[in-house]
Amino acid sequence: MTAPETQDGLVERRLHPVTPLRRAWAPVAVLIGWAVHDPGQAHRQLNRLTTTTLLIGLAVLLPAAALYGFLTWWFTHFAVTDTELRIRTGLMFRRTAHIRLERIQAVDVTQPLLARIAGVAKLRLDVIGTDKKDELAFLGADEARALRAELLARAAGFAPETAHEVGEAPSTPLLRVPPRVLAVSLLLTGATWGSLAAALVVPPLLWLATHSLWTVLATAVPLLGGAGASSAGRFVGEYDWTVAESPDGLRIDHGLLDRAHETVPPGRVQTVRIVEPLLWRRRRWVRVELDVAGSSNSVLLPVAPREIAESVIARVLPGVSVPPRSALSRPPRRARWCVPVWWRGHGIVVTDAVFAARYGLLRRRLALVPHAKVQSVRVTQGPWERFWRVADVHVDTGAGNTVTARLRDAEEAAELLRGQAERSRTGRRDARPDRWMAQGCCPDSTPGPRA
């Protein structure tokens, strides 16, 4: 649906007509939030209302909410120019967002359950230098995919008159995580059973100690919610996890109720973490997590055999191979006086491509930071560490996160500090460009096996 032309002759478009139904809930959500924040006061106020007053209130509130939803939709426009995506919103206070196309690093299409039923989708944009995502909610599902393809084509340098004809870049499937494997992996995760045990044990103990129903409910509800989020919630969110390769990055599709279509931007991955819980090791399963600058994408693979995971990591970090466990150097034995027992879980290896640090004994994590993504390096040393001649090496990345190699020999830490500056400089010099569709076609690849 189009809107009138602007003063500069630009034709603007409106969102899908179902959008007012979503925005009409805003006034109702304010009342619900107040009731949840102060349930006692809300209950007292509700008891004071007569049936007639309540019906009159509903008769006023519902049309007002509907009018609010319609007006916010009517005054929301967007347009794509030669250099930017322009979004104008606001009923009382106008806001115009100018999103430079060359600064777009990811465009994700998500479909909540009700949006899937209505045939609409939400377009979310990751832009360099901003923490909050701009979004267009909602567009028709086909229109959202077409707009995503156009934005990526323009960000890649295609001419404006041909960008809308490029269409979505082709993709090659790499792997799919079967639901059975995902379910077993959650059952073998300690956090799932720990949160469930807390939800079952803590409320009865509180009841015996306080005999206060409100105290028990205030504790039990968050614990049950956490237990559900770590088990059923993760299963629903990571259901049918599929990874495919395309010129605009690795595409990730997942979700049982809410379907999400995300893209891992090329060249924007700052850190890759390989997570290996204790009960997964016999099956050689791992979880792969990401730190992407300015993006909310944080999971690459919820569960996969280690060999397959390493092959996918090679697609995200071209030219990087995961160092074998035998290559990791442990801290000196005197480090056990600083961190008893758990010192054995730490290790480090520095290759020509990455700075890799392992930490954790029961739940192992191996963090890989390409040298080109290192922003700064620091060495810290407390009084007790100075006594035992060990130090921690901190590597800061562009995603605002830090990877730490703990309990290194003090002389080794000083050498790492000196050498990492040169490795980072040469890594940035040799790094590939971060442009979208830099190759203009789908790279050669063969479909990978199922996880």
Side-chain angles (χ1 to χ4, degrees), residues 388-409:
W388 293 105
R389 304 189 310 282
V390 294
D392 300 336
V393 181
H394 306 270
V395 172
D396 303 316
T397 69
N401 295 311
T402 300
V403 173
T404 303
R406 292 212 60 198
L407 306 173
R408 308 312 305 174
D409 179 81

Side-chain angles (χ1 to χ4, degrees), residues 25-35:
W25 282 98
V28 180
V30 172
L31 293 178
I32 295 175
W34 168 72

Side-chain angles (χ1 to χ4, degrees), residues 235-317:
F235 180 82
V236 170
E238 298 175 354
Y239 180 84
D240 193 29
W241 194 281
T242 305
V243 180
E245 187 176 38
S246 73
D248 51 14
L250 289 187
R251 294 180 185 170
I252 301 175
D253 291 275
H254 61 93
L256 178 61
L257 302 179
D258 298 348
R259 196 70 183 166
H261 176 95
E262 302 171 346
T263 303
V264 178
R268 299 298 299 174
V269 176
Q270 307 292 308
T271 308
V272 174
R273 283 184 302 277
I274 302 175
V275 184
E276 191 177 16
L278 177 63
L279 298 180
W280 289 17
R281 295 176 196 170
R282 184 175 180 181
R283 298 172 180 262
R284 292 186 58 80
W285 287 349
V286 297
R287 176 182 176 90
V288 182
E289 300 174 347
L290 301 173
D291 289 334
V292 182
S295 174
S296 62
N297 294 331
S298 60
V299 179
L300 178 60
L301 295 174
V303 58
R306 189 178 185 91
E307 295 77 10
I308 297 178
E310 291 181 359
S311 67
V312 176
I313 291 173
R315 311 273 181 158
V316 176
L317 302 177

Side-chain angles (χ1 to χ4, degrees), residues 167-254:
E168 192 169 38
S171 61
T172 303
L174 294 179
L175 65 88
R176 173 180 173 272
V177 178
R180 180 185 62 83
V181 173
L182 179 61
V184 173
S185 70
L186 293 175
L187 292 175
L188 296 178
T189 301
T192 300
W193 295 105
S195 57
L196 182 60
L200 295 177
V201 173
V202 174
L205 294 178
L206 283 176
W207 173 257
L208 294 175
T210 65
H211 292 285
S212 172
L213 179 60
W214 287 108
T215 301
V216 172
L217 289 177
T219 305
V221 171
L223 288 176
L224 289 173
S230 63
S231 54
R234 274 185 55 181
F235 180 82
V236 170
E238 298 175 354
Y239 180 84
D240 193 29
W241 194 281
T242 305
V243 180
E245 187 176 38
S246 73
D248 51 14
L250 289 187
R251 294 180 185 170
I252 301 175
D253 291 275
H254 61 93

Side-chain angles (χ1 to χ4, degrees), residues 142-161:
D142 293 337
E143 183 185 6
R145 287 190 288 267
L147 181 58
R148 175 188 183 277
E150 180 182 355
L151 291 175
L152 295 183
R154 293 202 184 190
F158 284 87
E161 60 272 12

